[in-house]
Amino acid sequence: GHTCPWREIWRIEIVVRDLFSAFFNTQSIRQDTVKIGQRASGLNKVKPVKSATENTLIGEGDHLWPKAKERKVKRFWALVSSWFLPARRGDIVSPEMSSEENLNHNGASPLPLAEEELMDTRGSPTPAEIGDSPCSPQLSPVTGLEQELQVAVDPVTMETEEVVYKGEDPFKSEGTVQFLIKDTTKLFSKSGLNSLSDPVYIRDLPWRLLVQCREVGTKEKDSQKALGVFVQCNPQGPDVPGGWSCWARASIKLMSREEDSKTINKEITHLFNSKENDWGFSTLTTYEDLVDPTKGFLDENDSFILEAHVIADAPHGINWDSKKHTGYVGLKNQGATCYMNSLLQTLYFTTKLRRAVYQMPTEHDDPIRSVPLALQRIFYELQHSDKSVGTKKLTKSFGWDTVDIFMQHDVQELSRVLLDNIESKMKGTLVEGTIPELFEGRTESYIRCTEVDYRSSREETFFDIQLNIKGKRNVYESFQDYVAEETLDGDNKYDAAEYGLQTAKKGVIFTKLPPVLHLHLMRFLYDPATDFNVKINDSFQFPEELDLKDFVKDPTSVNTCYRLHAVLVHSGDNYGGHYVVYVNPKGDGKWFKFDDDVVSRCSKKDAIDYNFGGNEETGIIRSCTSAYMLVYIRDNMLGDILQDCPSDDIPEHLKERILEERRLEALRRKERSEALLYLTVEVYREDEFQHHSGPDLISQDCQPLIFKVLKSTPLEEFHLALALSMGYPPELLRVWPFEMRTNSTFRPGYVCYKKNATKTVFELAEKNSVWKIFLELLPLDGPLKALPDYNPQSDVLLFYKYYNPKAKLIVYAGHSFECADRKFSELFPMLCESVGLPLNTPLILYEEVKPTYIELINHNLYLRQLEELGDGDIICFQRDVSTLNFELPTVEDYFRDLVNRVEVTFYNRSDSSDPGFTLILNQKMTYTQVAVAVADYIKEDMKFIQFFKPSHLRNAPEIAIRWNSDGYLRDFVLLRHRLELPTILYYQVLTIPVEQFESKKCFRCYFLNSKLKEERDMTLYVSKQGLVAEVLEEASKELRSVQLEIKSTKLRLLEVISHRIFDVYQAAKPIADLASNRTFRLEEIPSDQFHLEEDEGIIPVAHYSKEPHNTFGIPFLLKFKDGESLSSIIKKIQILLELSDQEMVKWKYALVHQVTQAKYLDEDEQLFLQNFTINKEKGVFFPHMGIPYLGLEHANKNQRRSRYSYLEKAIKIHN
């Protein structure tokens, strides 16, 4: 019963203070008295704790109350909390319960009271458990207590400034669990006895030490007792999900009282989860060593001390409130977008960039395709949201599909692509130049001659620096390697213009370093030994403060001191892994870890030292985890770049747009959650019938009024609410529900208000989710003050349509209530007046029974004489035009044509991105009629348009439709019975008439010029009975038509499979003998191969890597003489491929006779015609499988190898 007048909220603090004083009759007021507005931390409560004696004072902080006043404290907070906030679990301590009862009441179990409590839950260990290997003993759970914290939130920036905990911080990242075992003899009295320590809360999870008496050894004589020690993390409770996990490392110590050197210290790392909630050592030490006096483990009371220092990451899959614990929120992972999340957090905390992004004009941007708007949303949500932020709208603005989302890319590559995209979008705006201002640096590449006064240089810009880490210990060594000079001497001397070839020094120096420095550590390198990219996990150190004065051309011109701002870390290998980012948001040394949606505080050592990489002997550092990208900010610009971005700096239009989007999304969520309770009512008025020209009264194109109505609403209440919404008196409207008839027509029907007044709308809708009704309305300014009563026994509701044969159109003409005793002819004046015809115009009447059945009506009949006449029937009428000539003269003709109408969507087969166009055609149209209609639309000659039937299984063209087909359109298309699936046809525009094309063979190939570069794909149309010579002739014509430069006057046709030449086809070979599924190559014939002497031949040459079957690149033909040395042939290859001696120094040469075998050749060996299969009649001929051939073995440098998968593709932002 207590209520709070919120309009007087400013008086609450005074009231509370006075009430507190009066309640306890004291003037001492705690500083943490209730403050309305700090809702994030709830009411600051006094929590009772268990006391050892009755006289112990109960409370927290510096001010304590005697236990006698405990109940008054509880009643006071219960009273205040009932005014302001709804009760939450654990907020209000019941005044009627003891401390122990309250623990159970709040859902937590009391903690163990005795340190030596023993639980016999273990059997003897298996042989696999003997030794020092970490293992998991799997024990039963014990829960812990929760503690409250206060979060001070900056109302301007909406970011946390300080976190103050009442008591020990339960969310800390590390802590120490100590366990005193008082009775060692009792613990080891029986194998399998367990002892569990009190919990220490780290990351809000209870961590304990579990001690066991273990029996080790497989034989009785070898069996001995050992001390097993395990670290346990086992949260319990109804709110703890089964899929939680927490990665932690710990050092377990058995303390010695003699010397520190005798203390046993072992370390573990483990991913704790519900299935493996404890981890440690089954044999930390033997019982004999434990009780050995020289070791100093036991004291005079038969006790020993165990200690575990635990360092834990923030847990996943559990209720971890990042905003509450850190003041920041994370980003949701859509599948494999951790790399993008890490980069976005880095850019977000580059506050100057965030401010610039906010200022980009996006008022008129497409809400789906605009990348700047999507980025503004992300930054705004990260700044203002209390929960993790989704990135689906951002990836959708990139134009990414599901494949992109589930494919992990390189974070440095995304950084370049995204910053380039933002920079281009900033051009022409107030923030133009922000990206170069923040991230752009300059280098000077130079060549300096050592013996003459000559120097050449050029300046280049960069946005990040790629540092080689292989063999380097730290960042400084990598920078030394980056600027190291290379000597150009010997065969590699530099051409110094007028000075000729000179010995020179080649190098690079930094001329300008950017304010924000991105360093990309090149941990993924190509390994020639394995022919794959591998990850370099070597230790590589980087400092928190970086000075680059030794690498700048003029260090006095710019500040070269930088401070570490972010560390992007990759865990995993070349084939996959996970990204996280450590950020120092304010540049003050306070670090936070952003792991997708989980944000946690961490130490400087966690952020820096533990990410150097390397295989540590201790096993504490995960060897596959290492820094991949570093972000430094110049010291003297920290304040400017990291300056707070208050909400006032965000444009109002952006805030309003995002808040409106939030409101609409909340509304949609509410609608989805309440969808089962509500019925959708579609209200159709006569206005919706006006533009309908098909069967019945409504179609899919109609746009009715839509209402959401509770399913339990009675018809009477619905009628009144509908009248109120429409602004009509209830007497001026009447509801006619649409109903499906047995003949599949959809017409309004009568509902009796008196009988169905209490029936719910859901029942009247026959339990469908959508209820469609016709709303009969009287004009507000009309003479009638209420709708006339309707008698279902004598009256009938009729609807009218008028058909105009000239326009080939049928339109709605109104409705009326008619007495069944009237003749149809009596309706003529009213019908003529409704469509503006003279009142004496002769009319012809039809009943629209259904679209395929239109019945002529004898106008001399009475209405009751029409068979099965009922409410909602449709009467079609037209003038008598029997003496005139129209294409569709009657209503029957119109509906017959209407039934055969079909909307066909046409797609260009040659353009996969073609949006298509839709035409309304008749199913009985011939091929020629369809071609005329399409040609008229696309403005092409119908003779050049070819059509293709669609596939039944997928949206793709299947077989071509012959130009002289006898069928109709319905035979060509796949008619869809579901309205949401379109009827489609594919077409293509040819360069020759379809009739001529169908007698030709489509021959696809590609042309290769004399420099062995693919110039263009070609599609040639040649006679099916023609020869290869016709292909060569058609190719020459097309090449000349596109003005492609050809050195040779002759062409030849080759078949290439798996980067090897399989055959060379002569001009006289029939085209019909060529397989249509092969790859053919057209190329110029070099002039030196026009004529061959008796001792000359042409050999095939192919590139391969390691094994002959790993061919790659472009194979080619080479002329040689019988007995020519390999060294001479190598020179020809070098000239043809335009390669230097240095590029070919590691190449090997082999004669490949089998796909799996190669005979390697020395350069002084000779090649003979007999080594190859030569056919002089054809000029050159190769046997099956394209062998033998001359193989060139070398690394495939042009192959783009994916770090993660052979399916990976380059990152692209399409918008």
Side-chain angles (χ1 to χ4, degrees):
H2 301 284
T3 59
C4 173
W6 288 99
R7 58 181 175 272
E8 299 181 4
I9 194 168
W10 58 274
R11 299 179 56 193
I12 289 176
E13 188 172 348
I14 299 174
V15 173
V16 171
R17 187 180 293 114
D18 294 343
L19 178 61
F20 193 96
S21 300
F23 200 91
F24 294 105
N25 192 24
T26 177
Q27 296 300 319
S28 60
I29 305 299
R30 293 184 58 185
Q31 293 180 352
D32 57 345
T33 303
V34 176
K35 292 183 179 180
I36 303 305
Q38 294 183 352
R39 178 148 187 151
S41 57
L43 295 176
N44 297 319
K45 301 171 287 300
V46 178
K47 280 196 171 183
V49 296
K50 180 175 176 60
S51 58
T53 64
E54 187 66 25
N55 296 326
T56 302
L57 297 178
I58 306 299
E60 298 175 276
D62 298 329
H63 302 274
L64 303 174
W65 286 269
K67 188 173 182 180
K69 293 186 178 180
E70 179 183 347
R71 292 182 184 273
K72 292 185 178 181
V73 174
K74 297 171 184 175
R75 292 193 186 103
F76 168 72
W77 291 116
L79 175 63
V80 175
S81 67
S82 67
W83 282 2
F84 310 123
L85 297 175
R88 298 181 300 170
R89 184 179 69 85
D91 274 353
I92 306 301
V93 180
S94 171
E96 308 303 327
M97 296 184 182
S98 65
S99 300
E100 292 83 355
E101 288 172 333
N102 271 304
L103 293 176
N104 289 321
H105 175 65
N106 291 335
S109 302
L111 296 179
L113 301 182
E115 293 176 286
E116 57 212 7
E117 180 182 357
L118 302 179
M119 296 179 289
D120 188 4
T121 60
R122 291 263 162 203
S124 299
T126 62
E129 293 174 310
I130 300 173
D132 291 343
S133 300
C135 61
S136 173
Q138 298 294 321
L139 280 185
S140 58
V142 182
T143 59
L145 293 172
E146 298 177 357
Q147 294 196 17
E148 293 294 318
L149 74 159
Q150 286 180 295
V151 183
V153 180
D154 187 339
V156 178
T157 63
M158 300 304 292
E159 293 180 355
T160 296
E161 295 180 343
E162 192 71 30
V163 176
V164 181
Y165 295 95
K166 297 168 63 180
E168 187 179 2
D169 177 11
F171 304 102
K172 57 185 176 292
S173 61
E174 57 184 291
T176 302
V177 184
Q178 289 187 333
F179 195 7
L180 172 65
I181 306 297
K182 293 183 177 180
D183 193 343
T184 305
T185 304
K186 185 177 180 181
L187 175 66
F188 283 88
S189 62
K190 181 180 178 181
S191 176
L193 291 180
N194 308 313
S195 185
L196 197 63
S197 73
D198 288 341
V200 172
Y201 279 82
I202 304 168
R203 299 298 192 189
D204 201 29
L205 298 175
W207 298 84
R208 295 180 174 85
L209 273 173
L210 168 66
V211 180
Q212 284 186 328
C213 170
R214 310 279 294 185
E215 195 80 26
V216 297
T218 56
K219 298 180 181 179
E220 284 191 17
K221 62 179 181 179
D222 297 331
S223 178
Q224 58 177 327
K225 292 181 180 179
L227 177 68
V229 181
F230 304 87
V231 175
Q232 184 192 77
C233 177
N234 196 8
Q236 286 290 310
D239 298 332
V240 178
W244 70 272
S245 64
C246 181
W247 187 90
R249 57 181 181 270
S251 59
I252 302 174
K253 294 181 180 179
L254 175 58
M255 309 299 294
S256 172
R257 290 170 173 80
E258 297 294 329
E259 302 175 10
D260 288 342
S261 60
K262 293 185 178 180
T263 295
I264 297 177
N265 185 5
K266 294 187 177 181
E267 295 170 331
I268 63 169
T269 60
H270 183 59
L271 182 67
F272 291 84
N273 53 65
S274 58
K275 294 183 179 179
E276 292 184 349
N277 54 32
D278 36 37
W279 202 254
F281 299 92
S282 59
T283 305
L284 184 67
T285 186
T286 62
Y287 179 69
E288 292 180 359
D289 289 342
L290 180 64
V291 299
D292 187 349
T294 63
K295 305 286 186 181
F297 297 129
L298 296 184
D299 63 7
E300 61 277 5
N301 297 322
D302 196 29
S303 302
F304 64 91
I305 298 175
L306 287 168
E307 185 179 284
H309 186 73
V310 180
I311 303 174
D313 283 353
H316 285 258
I318 205 166
N319 189 21
W320 176 265
D321 191 338
S322 297
K323 187 77 170 184
K324 181 179 180 182
H325 304 326
T326 66
Y328 304 113
V329 296
L331 293 165
K332 296 177 183 177
N333 193 327
Q334 295 188 49
T337 56
C338 55
Y339 69 99
M340 181 182 71
N341 293 347
S342 299
L343 177 65
L344 289 174
Q345 293 284 12
T346 305
L347 299 179
Y348 169 77
F349 285 109
T350 309
T351 319
K352 191 169 184 178
L353 173 65
R354 191 202 319 170
R355 297 164 73 99
V357 169
Y358 282 149
Q359 299 302 322
M360 295 177 70
T362 56
E363 299 96 319
H364 307 295
D365 282 15
D366 187 318
I368 296 176
R369 296 169 57 87
S370 173
V371 175
L373 178 59
L375 202 58
Q376 288 173 342
R377 280 197 203 101
I378 292 287
F379 286 174
Y380 183 90
E381 295 292 345
L382 285 174
Q383 186 167 337
H384 294 85
S385 178
D386 292 330
K387 296 181 180 179
S388 55
V389 178
T391 58
K392 288 184 178 179
K393 291 182 179 179
L394 180 65
T395 53
K396 188 174 288 187
S397 74
F398 289 170
W400 289 3
D401 54 19
T402 307
V403 174
D404 295 296
I405 290 170
F406 283 92
M407 183 179 292
Q408 192 174 92
H409 292 281
D410 184 88
V411 68
Q412 185 260 349
E413 184 183 359
L414 176 63
S415 175
R416 285 189 176 185
V417 173
L418 182 56
L419 289 177
D420 285 346
N421 187 278
I422 297 173
E423 182 186 7
S424 66
K425 302 293 173 56
M426 285 182 172
K427 290 181 179 178
T429 70
L430 295 176
V431 291
E432 181 177 359
T434 300
I435 300 297
E437 178 188 345
L438 288 175
F439 302 101
E440 185 181 271
R442 293 191 184 93
T443 60
E444 181 184 285
S445 299
Y446 63 87
I447 298 178
R448 173 176 50 83
C449 295
T450 59
E451 299 174 1
V452 298
D453 185 17
Y454 185 86
R455 190 176 190 275
S456 172
S457 66
R458 73 175 185 275
E459 195 173 65
E460 297 176 339
T461 61
F462 66 87
F463 283 86
D464 56 39
I465 301 174
Q466 297 188 354
L467 295 180
N468 179 26
I469 68 166
K470 183 67 174 176
K472 308 295 182 294
R473 292 178 300 174
N474 53 48
V475 169
Y476 290 107
E477 289 190 7
S478 291
F479 269 99
Q480 288 284 4
D481 178 69
Y482 194 93
V483 300
E485 288 186 331
E486 175 189 355
T487 301
L488 304 179
D489 56 6
D491 294 337
N492 199 28
K493 285 185 178 181
Y494 176 65
D495 185 359
E498 67 270 15
Y499 295 102
L501 296 177
Q502 295 288 331
T503 301
K505 296 289 186 180
K506 178 182 179 182
V508 63
I509 192 74
F510 292 97
T511 58
K512 177 197 170 187
L513 292 173
V516 181
L517 182 64
H518 282 191
L519 301 182
H520 173 216
L521 309 185
M522 298 174 64
R523 290 197 174 273
F524 294 93
L525 296 176
Y526 174 71
D527 182 14
T530 60
D531 196 30
F532 283 100
N533 280 345
V534 294
K535 184 179 180 182
I536 308 300
N537 283 310
D538 298 348
S539 177
F540 182 82
Q541 298 182 9
F542 48 91
E544 185 177 12
E545 295 181 356
L546 181 68
D547 190 354
L548 299 176
K549 63 182 178 182
D550 296 336
F551 314 106
V552 180
K553 186 175 182 179
D554 183 9
T556 61
S557 63
V558 66
N559 188 312
T560 59
C561 295
Y562 285 83
R563 182 173 295 275
L564 188 62
H565 180 243
V567 182
L568 282 82
V569 177
H570 179 265
S571 300
D573 55 18
N574 176 58
Y575 300 100
H578 182 61
Y579 280 96
V580 299
V581 62
Y582 295 85
V583 182
N584 178 14
K586 306 291 184 183
D588 55 1
K590 295 181 180 179
W591 288 86
F592 296 84
K593 179 181 180 181
F594 293 82
D595 186 357
D596 287 334
D597 57 334
V598 175
V599 186
S600 58
R601 296 173 180 269
C602 65
S603 66
K604 187 185 299 183
K605 184 176 263 189
D606 283 327
I608 301 176
D609 297 358
Y610 288 155
N611 292 313
F612 289 159
N615 296 310
E616 299 293 332
E617 293 180 359
T618 60
I620 287 295
I621 301 175
R622 290 168 283 187
S623 61
C624 64
T625 300
S626 52
Y628 184 64
M629 187 171 166
L630 307 174
V631 179
Y632 283 91
I633 297 179
R634 189 180 293 151
D635 261 356
N636 62 348
M637 297 189 68
L638 276 171
D640 178 44
I641 294 174
L642 301 183
Q643 183 183 3
D644 287 338
C645 179
S647 296
D648 293 342
D649 286 357
I650 304 175
E652 286 299 322
H653 74 84
L654 179 60
K655 290 192 283 188
E656 291 173 2
R657 182 171 188 166
I658 294 176
L659 291 175
E660 178 63 16
E661 289 177 354
R662 279 183 176 182
R663 187 189 69 80
L664 294 176
E665 288 176 3
L667 187 61
R668 283 192 289 267
R669 284 195 300 270
K670 181 181 179 183
E671 288 179 352
R672 286 194 296 268
S673 64
E674 297 177 348
L676 296 177
L677 301 177
Y678 284 84
L679 175 73
T680 299
V681 180
E682 294 183 0
V683 178
Y684 293 86
R685 299 161 298 175
E686 286 194 301
D687 292 344
E688 279 72 55
F689 300 160
Q690 297 292 339
H691 305 290
H692 177 64
S693 58
D696 290 332
L697 297 170
I698 58 176
S699 66
Q700 297 288 338
D701 298 330
C702 293
Q703 296 181 349
L705 299 176
I706 297 178
F707 297 90
K708 296 287 185 180
V709 183
L710 277 171
K711 293 180 179 179
S712 57
T713 305
L715 175 61
E716 187 176 24
E717 291 183 16
F718 170 71
H719 181 89
L720 295 175
L722 185 60
L724 183 63
S725 300
M726 299 292 297
Y728 274 75
E731 301 81 14
L732 295 185
L733 56 82
R734 183 158 43 206
V735 170
W736 297 79
F738 277 90
E739 56 188 25
M740 184 65 70
R741 296 183 175 183
T742 55
N743 63 357
S744 300
T745 56
F746 199 56
R747 308 286 175 81
Y750 174 70
V751 57
C752 181
Y753 270 63
K754 292 183 180 179
K755 293 182 180 179
N756 298 286
T758 58
K759 240 183 184 181
T760 65
V761 290
F762 189 53
E763 292 174 317
L764 293 171
E766 297 180 349
K767 299 186 177 180
N768 293 314
S769 59
V770 178
W771 191 33
K772 298 183 179 184
I773 61 172
F774 164 59
L775 186 62
E776 182 188 0
L777 294 171
L778 277 181
L780 288 172
D781 54 354
L784 297 178
K785 299 303 179 184
L787 283 168
D789 292 335
Y790 176 77
N791 185 356
Q793 304 299 325
S794 60
D795 296 337
V796 61
L797 172 65
L798 296 179
F799 292 90
Y800 306 103
K801 293 181 181 180
Y802 171 67
Y803 176 60
N804 184 347
K806 185 177 181 180
K808 293 188 292 187
L809 185 66
I810 197 167
V811 294
Y812 179 74
H815 77 281
S816 68
F817 297 104
E818 300 297 339
C819 178
D821 292 330
R822 296 188 68 185
K823 284 187 177 183
F824 281 101
S825 57
E826 296 178 29
L827 305 178
F828 283 10
M830 179 196 67
L831 296 178
C832 291
E833 184 180 1
S834 66
V835 293
L837 294 176
L839 298 183
N840 58 351
T841 303
L843 301 176
I844 302 176
L845 304 182
Y846 298 86
E847 182 189 3
E848 183 187 323
V849 181
K850 56 182 180 179
T852 56
Y853 182 35
I854 307 299
E855 184 179 6
L856 181 65
I857 298 176
N858 184 349
H859 58 267
N860 293 318
L861 293 178
Y862 290 95
L863 268 63
R864 78 167 79 90
Q865 293 178 293
L866 194 64
E867 187 177 356
E868 298 182 0
L869 183 68
D871 294 321
D873 280 358
I874 300 174
I875 305 298
C876 300
F877 64 97
Q878 68 172 92
R879 291 182 301 162
D880 186 358
V881 292
S882 55
T883 59
L884 302 175
N885 186 20
F886 292 108
E887 183 181 352
L888 301 174
T890 67
V891 172
E892 291 177 291
D893 297 324
Y894 173 81
F895 275 98
R896 192 177 298 114
D897 178 74
L898 186 66
V899 169
N900 288 312
R901 285 183 194 174
V902 59
E903 288 188 358
V904 183
T905 303
F906 293 86
Y907 294 99
N908 191 338
R909 179 175 178 267
S910 305
D911 184 4
S912 59
S913 61
D914 179 34
F917 60 90
T918 301
L919 298 178
I920 298 177
L921 305 175
N922 193 297
Q923 297 181 41
K924 293 186 177 181
M925 292 176 72
T926 63
Y927 179 97
T928 303
Q929 291 173 319
V930 173
V932 169
V934 172
D936 183 60
Y937 186 88
I938 64 176
K939 309 303 180 185
E940 294 284 351
D941 191 335
M942 61 159 287
K943 295 179 181 178
F944 292 82
I945 301 176
Q946 184 183 30
F947 296 99
F948 296 84
K949 288 185 177 181
S951 170
H952 288 256
L953 302 177
R954 56 193 177 94
N955 288 333
E958 201 168 55
I959 60 174
I961 304 172
R962 296 188 62 82
W963 70 276
N964 56 355
S965 297
D966 295 331
Y968 297 102
L969 176 61
R970 64 187 177 195
D971 302 319
F972 306 148
V973 299
L974 181 64
L975 295 177
R976 309 283 189 171
H977 297 290
R978 293 169 56 189
L979 294 176
E980 64 270 19
L981 296 177
T983 300
I984 59 178
L985 263 182
Y986 293 89
Y987 73 95
Q988 70 175 0
V989 181
L990 304 174
T991 57
I992 59 176
V994 178
E995 182 180 0
Q996 182 181 347
F997 172 80
E998 291 182 354
S999 64
K1000 301 276 187 180
K1001 177 181 177 65
C1002 180
F1003 190 86
R1004 289 184 174 86
C1005 58
Y1006 65 91
F1007 173 72
L1008 192 71
N1009 67 0
S1010 58
K1011 293 184 179 180
L1012 300 183
K1013 293 182 179 178
E1014 293 185 22
E1015 292 287 349
R1016 60 183 285 118
D1017 292 327
M1018 302 179 68
T1019 301
L1020 306 173
Y1021 300 103
V1022 295
S1023 174
K1024 295 179 180 179
Q1025 290 76 34
L1027 304 175
V1028 170
E1030 187 178 346
V1031 174
L1032 301 177
E1033 183 180 353
E1034 289 294 324
S1036 297
K1037 291 179 182 178
E1038 182 169 333
L1039 292 173
R1040 286 194 297 270
S1041 67
V1042 296
Q1043 297 181 347
L1044 196 64
E1045 183 179 350
I1046 306 175
K1047 293 184 178 180
S1048 175
T1049 58
K1050 292 186 178 182
L1051 302 176
R1052 62 184 168 204
L1053 183 68
L1054 296 80
E1055 181 182 345
V1056 179
I1057 299 179
S1058 298
H1059 305 282
R1060 297 198 303 271
I1061 297 174
F1062 267 46
D1063 207 345
V1064 178
Y1065 295 114
Q1066 300 305 303
K1069 188 174 183 67
I1071 295 175
D1073 294 346
L1074 304 184
S1076 58
N1077 59 345
R1078 300 292 175 86
T1079 301
F1080 298 102
R1081 186 175 93 190
L1082 277 168
E1083 67 177 19
E1084 301 177 57
I1085 302 179
S1087 57
D1088 65 335
Q1089 296 181 18
F1090 285 176
H1091 304 286
L1092 299 177
E1093 302 295 338
E1094 288 296 327
D1095 61 343
E1096 292 179 336
I1098 298 176
I1099 57 173
V1101 185
H1103 306 265
Y1104 71 89
S1105 175
K1106 290 191 174 184
E1107 299 294 336
H1109 62 271
N1110 291 331
T1111 50
F1112 65 91
I1114 299 175
F1116 55 92
L1117 300 175
L1118 191 69
K1119 177 183 175 181
F1120 80 110
K1121 285 190 176 184
D1122 191 26
E1124 187 174 356
S1125 66
L1126 179 61
S1127 59
S1128 174
I1129 294 176
I1130 292 174
K1131 285 292 183 183
K1132 294 180 179 179
I1133 295 174
Q1134 184 176 2
I1135 294 172
L1136 178 65
L1137 301 182
E1138 299 179 350
L1139 298 174
S1140 64
D1141 293 338
Q1142 188 176 0
E1143 290 176 294
M1144 299 181 66
V1145 69
K1146 294 184 179 181
W1147 285 28
K1148 296 180 182 179
Y1149 307 91
L1151 195 60
V1152 182
H1153 285 279
Q1154 295 183 13
V1155 178
T1156 57
Q1157 293 182 0
K1159 177 188 176 184
Y1160 287 92
L1161 306 172
D1162 295 328
E1163 290 192 15
D1164 57 354
E1165 287 193 48
Q1166 294 177 311
L1167 292 183
F1168 298 95
L1169 293 176
Q1170 64 186 21
N1171 298 136
F1172 303 91
T1173 304
I1174 304 297
N1175 188 323
K1176 286 294 180 181
E1177 183 180 350
K1178 292 186 175 183
V1180 59
F1181 174 78
F1182 308 105
H1184 185 59
M1185 299 300 290
I1187 51 178
Y1189 66 87
L1190 179 62
L1192 311 178
E1193 184 197 347
H1194 58 95
N1196 182 7
K1197 294 182 179 180
N1198 294 326
Q1199 180 178 4
R1200 184 186 184 275
R1201 298 192 177 273
S1202 165
R1203 272 188 42 204
Y1204 300 105
S1205 165
Y1206 66 93
L1207 293 174
E1208 182 180 353
K1209 54 185 179 181
I1211 298 179
K1212 289 184 180 179
I1213 296 179
H1214 302 282
N1215 297 322

